[in-house]
Amino acid sequence: MNTPERAVLLSLHPRFATAILSGEKTVELRRQRVAVPPGTPVIIYATSPVMALTGTARLTDVDTAPPTQIWRRHRTNCGITRAEYTAYMDGASQASALLLDSARPLSTTVPLDYLRAASAFHPPQSYRYLTPQVLQQLVAGHDAAAELLDHLPTPSSAARTPRTTPLQTSPTPPLEARLGDAPPAAAVRQAGVDFTATVALTVVVGTALGCF
């Protein structure tokens, strides 16, 4: 299995975030297909009134099927009642069960205000991806930075990096862009033909006029 290059940030009600981090709940539900590869690190964001990053986990698998089948297969691990499940899945044709393990709470939560101090961060309504670089910018300098960054394939020195303004990247431009105003090969060849024809015409005219 390839090492994931990004994590999934899950927004959860505090009740469910706490249940996952305590090991009581090992399946998180979504009412649509979720295409996240197994082994992906998970970062848990607890919604209001907590509004903070509270822990991490690992995604072991995603089971997608009609809601009735998902309930039969995962009802003992999803941490909700049948009535809550039915109300949540009302109108959904597909459901996804996100199977989690290795859950652990952060020693110090990272509040939303801290995350927003680094960038225009907005917690997702369901989930979003985070690259190691983005996560580093969000939590740099925080006491929990090492715990979060160690969960991703990020250099260990990243946790000690002081918070700065968001990084501005300058990707290498395509080859044709780096050539600037250099004319294309076809134009160069055509210029050579035009120059040869001009020289030949000059010689003919000059000979006729007795210039050569």
Side-chain angles (χ1 to χ4, degrees), residues 14 31-32 41 51 71 76 81 90 101 109 111 113 134 150 160 176 181 189 199:
R31 45 179 288 125
Q32 72 275 345
M51 295 188 294
W71 175 255
T76 59
T81 66
D90 184 39
D101 73 0
T109 62
D113 288 346
V134 170
D150 285 348
R160 299 188 294 272
E176 59 270 21
D181 295 328
R189 290 194 298 270
V199 171

Side-chain angles (χ1 to χ4, degrees), residues 165-211:
T165 54
L167 298 176
Q168 299 295 323
T169 59
S170 299
T172 303
L175 177 62
E176 59 270 21
R178 285 183 278 125
L179 290 177
D181 295 328
V188 172
R189 290 194 298 270
Q190 183 60 48
V193 172
D194 292 346
F195 177 76
T196 302
T198 300
V199 171
L201 180 62
T202 301
V203 171
V204 171
V205 172
T207 301
L209 295 176
C211 298

Side-chain angles (χ1 to χ4, degrees), residues 9-26:
L9 176 64
L10 282 181
S11 284
L12 301 172
H13 187 280
R15 167 191 162 192
F16 302 134
T18 300
I20 287 174
L21 295 174
S22 69
E24 176 186 350
K25 174 180 166 72
T26 59

Side-chain angles (χ1 to χ4, degrees), residues 20-128:
I20 287 174
L21 295 174
S22 69
E24 176 186 350
K25 174 180 166 72
T26 59
V27 173
E28 175 57 21
L29 301 167
R30 287 294 182 268
R31 45 179 288 125
Q32 72 275 345
R33 179 179 294 276
V34 176
V36 179
T40 297
V42 175
I43 298 173
I44 295 172
Y45 175 84
T47 58
S48 180
V50 177
M51 295 188 294
L53 302 181
T54 60
T56 62
R58 186 176 68 95
L59 182 78
T60 61
D61 202 0
V62 178
D63 184 9
T64 301
T68 54
Q69 294 182 26
I70 292 296
W71 175 255
R72 284 199 300 268
R73 294 201 284 258
H74 303 288
R75 62 182 182 273
T76 59
N77 297 312
C78 60
I80 61 175
T81 66
R82 178 61 186 267
E84 290 173 322
Y85 181 84
T86 300
Y88 176 61
M89 292 294 175
D90 184 39
S93 60
Q94 293 283 305
S96 289
L98 282 63
L99 282 60
L100 307 172
D101 73 0
S102 306
R104 61 182 184 183
L106 296 176
S107 57
T108 306
T109 62
V110 185
L112 179 59
D113 288 346
Y114 192 93
L115 299 172
R116 284 181 169 168
S119 66
F121 175 79
H122 297 285
Q125 289 189 349
S126 180
Y127 72 95
R128 61 169 286 190

Side-chain angles (χ1 to χ4, degrees), residues 3-8 40-41 43 128-140 145 148-159 161 167:
T3 301
E5 297 181 354
R6 54 186 182 174
V8 166
T40 297
I43 298 173
R128 61 169 286 190
Y129 286 105
L130 283 179
T131 64
Q133 293 76 17
V134 170
L135 180 61
Q136 178 181 339
Q137 291 177 358
L138 291 174
V139 302
L148 287 164
L149 294 170
D150 285 348
H151 202 49
L152 290 173
T154 308
S156 58
S157 61
T161 303
L167 298 176

